[in-house]
Amino acid sequence: MPETFYTLRNQTEYRLNNPLYRKIYIKLEQLKKNWISRNLGSEELMKDLNLVEEQLKEFKKIEKDTPSDKITHFIEIYLEQKNLSKIPLEDVKLKLKDIFDRERLLETDKKDLHLKLARSLLSINIPYKERLELERELMDMALEEVKKEQWKTN
């Protein structure tokens, strides 16, 4: 059991910049705390760890997609987990493809990507401050993924 926990934790630990992986990491830490304090039985812990493992397997499948598909898919999953409606991400995806085709991230690319993401998020009916926070989180995730992919190719 500890072996499964630490394996899953190590898989998420290096991806904490991605809010989806960060959420799984936090869940694992909560499971650990509950198990240590005996608030959670071994059977329940294994059930929860298996659910986390399935989620990580799904993320690994996404990791094999093209970089722009991967980032837009992560955005969709993140919005789904926050119980928000789907948004049109075609413009965001096209901008990401443009960035990866050029193999270099320029300041104008960051601004364009931010603008396209902000326009897409306008279709969600949430308060302004929440939209800004969501925009920031998604931009951070997208930029980290872009940097990671560009580092791989160089």
Side-chain angles (χ1 to χ4, degrees), residues 28-137:
L28 287 169
E29 290 300 314
Q30 289 171 342
L31 287 172
K32 178 183 170 186
K33 189 185 296 182
N34 288 339
W35 190 64
I36 289 172
S37 66
R38 305 281 187 222
N39 292 337
L40 191 65
S42 298
E43 201 171 288
E44 293 171 45
L45 177 65
M46 283 310 293
K47 184 178 141 190
D48 288 342
L49 288 176
N50 287 334
L51 290 173
V52 169
E53 190 172 25
E54 288 301 314
Q55 199 170 22
L56 284 174
K57 283 180 184 175
E58 181 185 331
F59 289 171
K60 284 187 181 208
K61 288 179 189 172
I62 295 168
E63 293 280 348
K64 294 176 183 174
D65 287 345
T66 63
S68 54
D69 286 339
K70 176 174 68 171
I71 293 169
T72 53
H73 202 88
F74 276 141
I75 290 171
E76 289 170 349
I77 292 172
Y78 187 68
L79 292 173
E80 187 179 306
Q81 286 184 355
K82 288 200 165 259
N83 295 322
L84 298 171
S85 59
K86 276 195 156 204
I87 60 172
L89 291 170
E90 294 82 26
D91 290 342
V92 173
K93 193 175 193 175
L94 288 173
K95 184 61 192 174
L96 287 166
K97 283 182 182 178
D98 180 44
I99 291 169
F100 289 116
D101 287 345
R102 212 178 21 261
E103 296 181 359
R104 189 165 176 221
L105 181 66
L106 305 172
E107 275 306 308
T108 55
D109 291 330
K110 290 180 188 178
K111 289 177 185 174
D112 287 348
L113 183 60
H114 187 264
L115 180 65
K116 291 180 187 316
L117 186 59
R119 282 186 183 152
S120 294
L121 288 173
L122 286 174
S123 65
I124 300 176
N125 189 18
I126 57 175
Y128 178 73
K129 285 185 179 182
E130 285 181 40
R131 184 177 296 117
L132 286 179
E133 180 63 24
L134 182 62
E135 205 175 292
R136 186 192 58 76
E137 288 174 351

Side-chain angles (χ1 to χ4, degrees), residues 9-10 12 16 18 41-42 52 78 97 100 134 144 146 151:
R9 186 172 160 224
N10 288 339
T12 58
L16 291 177
N18 184 319
S42 298
V52 169
Y78 187 68
K97 283 182 182 178
F100 289 116
L134 182 62
E144 284 298 321
V146 166
W151 184 78

